[in-house]
Every structure is written in structure tokens, then in C-alpha cells.
Amino acid sequence: MKTYPLFKVHVQSTEALAHIGEVFNSGFINEGLQVTKLTNELRGELNADNLILTNSCTSALTLALYLSGVRPGDEVITTPMTCVATNTPIVNLGARIVWADVNPEHGMIDPQDVARKITSRTRAVMAVAWAGNPPQLRELKEICTAKGIKLILDAAHAFDAAYMGGPIHGWADFTCYSFQAIKHFTTGDGGALVCTKPDDYRRSKALKWFGLDRDAAKDDKGNWKGQQWDVDIVEAGFKFNMNNVSAAIGLSQLPHIAKIMSGHVCNGRLYDDLFDGFKAVAPAARPEGGDSSFWVYTMKVNTTYSALKRDDLLKALNAEGIMAGVVHVPNDGYTAFQEFKADLPGVREFSANQFSLPCGWWLNDDDVRHIATRVKELTR
């Protein structure tokens, strides 16, 4: 039986091992030449000058929160409809989560609910680009600007996505990308932080490595430019830098990224056509102005028309090798976040009926047509 995985890593082993071999042969594994090269390449690929690489998207989110001024006792308005990695950095910095509801049609944070929940203790709003779909960034930016608070975008699913004709990171104060194992572009594990303001970018370069700006203190090979005792640490930072081994994996992927992205986007658009007008299940809505990266293809079961409930549909598809699934569950249900309980009807509606289909570069047109056909046959 042929299987259709929801996620599949794209790594050309021969090329990746060659890049990793260069790192090992150099005798320098920590941040150096490979990290510098990948940083410069991704700045061009994503059109993001103020970009730094980190050892995870979680680290990038933590930096974004810290740069936003989030400290113990502050509040961050965020969505529970995401990976838990979006929200653990908030509590790890000692701040309090304020859950905003989501639009049940697309599962992303509702700007109107955000506006209702801003208080004098709010320091930042955290939005998520679900499945690679940009949220309502224009509305969120207007709200945050008017209130003098920072907007952070978790773009873990949204490599190379666009909004209003430009890069998705052009709207939030801080945008965080993920290069974790199952993302469009992977470094094994890793991430990137893009800052809108140059001052935040300069500060982030130091904060990611204990408070030392490596570009100023060390050369591309990782050697001190002067003496270590000549360098001052003005602000204590974190250990969030990427290493050369991870960067080497990323460098091996760069020649293939256009093909990877094209595969996801073409498959997503084909699903759009195949499910057009079908009532039993329908694609999750996508806010106006966004160009999705189609990390996965999220759908909603319409219980009025579908012959199967969501969970029964997933069991039937999985039994046939179509590994459709629920990518994330609402974070507000976790015991770790119980003190932040809120009434979130949009979250309840979306989470009860949403699921995602495989949409990646590993599927051809016939695969996508087969998956769509089986979904229709099982639900009509």
C-alpha cells in the first residue's frame, strides 16, 4: 500500500554530508563560516536584511519577547491554536498569558478580541501563521501601533509566505521562522529572527550569544579579533546561536528550496480547485491579502453534510495510508496553562473540526487527486 506522509524531510544526503564534512575537517563546529554564509544566503532568499540565525524557533520567539520588553508580571496576548512552542517562552520569561480567541473559519487570532484584551500590562501580541497562511497582519499592526505594543509573528509554518504583495515579515516588529526537522527549509533544528528596527537587530545579535556581538568580537572562522578581555558585555544574553553543523545542513538545502516551495504551493492550489464547491469538507479560510506557503493543507469538516465526523474520517484515511491529521491542539487545555483559562468559542469550534492533508513536495498531481477523491468519497 502506498503511503502519503503528512511530513517528509528534504535532505540530499550526499550534499549534506559534504557540507558537514567541511565543518568537521575545519576543526571548528560552533558558529563560524557556515553560519555566516547561511545567514547571508537567507537574507537574500527571504529579502530580510535584519535577520539572525538561532538554534530554534523557540529561541527566536524568546528573543522577540525579551526585545519587546516582556518581563515577569507582564501580559502577552496570544493564541492557543498553535504549537506549544509558541507559548512556553511567555511563561518561561515570567509573563502571563492572555488568550485571544481565533476566527473559527481559519483558526488564527482574532484582531477584535485582541483589541478587547489589551491592558496597561500588555507588552506584546503573538500571532501565528497557521499552516503557512498569513493572519490578519494589517489589522493587528494597526491595533498594536495605536496602543504602543509590539507585534510578534510566529511564522514557523510560513517560510517564503507573503502578505499584501511583500514578505510576511514586513508587518510585525519581530518575525520568527522555524528550520526544525519537518519544516519547508530545515537545518535539523534551528530558526531565524527578523527584526523590523535596526536597533532591535543590533541588540539581538548580542543577546543570542550571552550578550556578545560575535560579528564585532570574532572573525568568520570564530577567532577573537582582539583579546577576549577587551570585550565588554553590556546586557546579559542567552545561548541561542546556531552552530556550523546545523548551518551546513541548511546550505545543502538552499539549491533545492525553490523546488520544495513550488511543490507545496502547486499542491495547495490543486487542492483548492479539487475541493471548490464541495460541502462536506472545505478548505479553511485564508485571510485576504495573504499568499500561503502551504506547509500543510488545513480543512474543516462540515458536520451538517459530512457522512463522517472528523476523527472517524482521519482513522479511515490513515488506514489507507493517507496520513492526514491534527497538527496542533489548543494550548489552553494543557495543565501547564490552567491559570490562564478563558472562554474561547472560536477555538472550540475550529479545533473540533479542523484537520490537515499532506501537501508537500513529495506528492505529485496524481497523489493529490487521489487524496482529494478519497476524502470526498468518505464524507459525501
Side-chain angles (χ1 to χ4, degrees):
M1 178 176 66
K2 183 173 181 177
T3 59
Y4 306 87
L6 188 58
F7 305 115
K8 186 175 181 179
V9 64
H10 184 287
V11 174
Q12 295 289 334
S13 59
T14 302
E15 297 174 31
L17 289 171
H19 280 280
I20 293 171
E22 290 180 11
V23 175
F24 290 161
N25 291 333
S26 75
F28 190 83
I29 292 175
N30 200 17
E31 182 176 355
L33 284 172
Q34 284 75 17
V35 174
T36 299
K37 184 175 181 180
L38 183 60
T39 300
N40 291 333
E41 294 283 352
L42 286 175
R43 284 172 179 163
E45 173 69 29
L46 295 171
N47 190 19
D49 291 338
N50 296 333
L51 176 149
I52 65 164
L53 295 180
T54 58
N55 56 9
S56 71
C57 184
T58 308
S59 295
L61 290 163
T62 303
L63 277 176
L65 289 161
Y66 191 83
L67 288 163
S68 297
V70 174
R71 300 294 185 272
D74 290 337
E75 293 178 348
V76 177
I77 299 174
T78 185
T79 171
M81 204 65 244
T82 182
C83 175
V84 69
T86 304
N87 292 313
T88 51
I90 299 171
V91 295
N92 287 338
L93 286 174
R96 295 185 57 80
I97 287 173
V98 176
W99 298 123
D101 207 355
V102 304
N103 183 316
E105 297 304 313
H106 52 63
M108 288 181 282
I109 199 165
D110 178 0
Q112 292 184 350
D113 201 40
V114 168
R116 286 191 289 266
K117 293 178 175 176
I118 293 174
T119 72
S120 61
R121 293 194 294 172
T122 305
R123 294 291 173 267
V125 172
M126 183 83 79
V128 172
W130 178 276
N133 305 322
Q136 293 166 266
L137 289 168
R138 179 172 57 188
E139 293 87 340
L140 290 167
K141 183 62 176 176
E142 289 174 355
I143 291 167
C144 289
T145 299
K147 295 293 185 179
I149 57 179
K150 301 295 186 180
L151 175 60
I152 301 170
L153 175 62
D154 181 340
H157 302 176
F159 187 89
D160 226 11
Y163 183 73
M164 297 295 178
I168 193 174
H169 54 255
W171 292 78
D173 296 281
F174 304 100
T175 300
C176 304
Y177 290 102
S178 174
F179 308 145
Q180 186 260 350
I182 58 174
K183 298 304 192 296
H184 295 95
F185 176 83
T186 183
T187 59
D189 203 356
L193 172 67
V194 179
C195 304
T196 299
K197 295 182 178 178
D199 286 347
D200 288 328
Y201 163 68
R202 285 189 287 269
R203 193 172 161 213
S204 73
K205 291 202 299 177
L207 285 171
K208 75 177 171 70
W209 197 59
F210 305 119
L212 284 167
D213 183 346
R214 290 181 67 97
D215 290 347
K218 292 193 171 189
D219 62 23
D220 286 345
K221 295 182 179 180
N223 299 311
W224 291 94
K225 292 180 178 179
Q227 298 298 333
Q228 185 174 352
W229 52 78
D230 292 331
V231 179
D232 187 23
I233 295 177
V234 177
E235 181 180 15
F238 305 87
K239 179 63 170 70
F240 288 164
N241 61 298
M242 183 178 284
N243 64 55
N244 283 339
V245 178
S246 295
I249 297 172
L251 288 169
S252 75
Q253 276 222 303
L254 280 174
H256 309 284
I257 193 61
K259 181 179 179 180
I260 293 170
M261 298 308 304
S262 175
H264 282 262
V265 172
C266 289
N267 288 337
R269 290 174 178 167
L270 180 54
Y271 276 131
D272 281 348
D273 292 339
L274 294 172
F275 285 109
D276 185 33
F278 191 68
K279 293 184 177 181
V281 291
R286 295 192 285 272
E288 183 180 356
D291 292 315
S292 180
S293 64
F294 291 105
W295 181 54
V296 291
Y297 192 84
T298 299
M299 306 197 71
K300 290 182 61 185
V301 172
N302 186 330
T303 54
T304 301
Y305 297 100
S306 177
L308 292 178
K309 294 181 179 179
R310 191 270 309 273
D311 293 356
D312 293 328
L313 172 60
L314 292 180
K315 289 177 183 178
L317 290 170
N318 293 169
E320 298 181 12
I322 300 171
M323 307 314 294
V326 174
V327 176
H328 299 309
V329 299
N331 290 187
D332 62 316
Y334 292 127
T335 300
F337 301 136
Q338 287 304 292
E339 64 180 293
F340 310 120
K341 278 285 190 182
D343 182 29
L344 303 167
V347 171
R348 302 284 83 80
E349 179 182 338
F350 180 76
S351 63
N353 298 304
Q354 63 90 12
F355 69 97
S356 293
L357 295 174
C359 192
W361 55 269
W362 55 93
L363 303 176
N364 59 37
D365 285 1
D366 288 341
D367 295 331
V368 172
R369 293 180 187 279
H370 170 70
I371 293 169
T373 296
R374 291 303 296 136
V375 171
K376 290 180 178 181
E377 290 173 346
L378 288 165
T379 56
R380 66 162 49 101

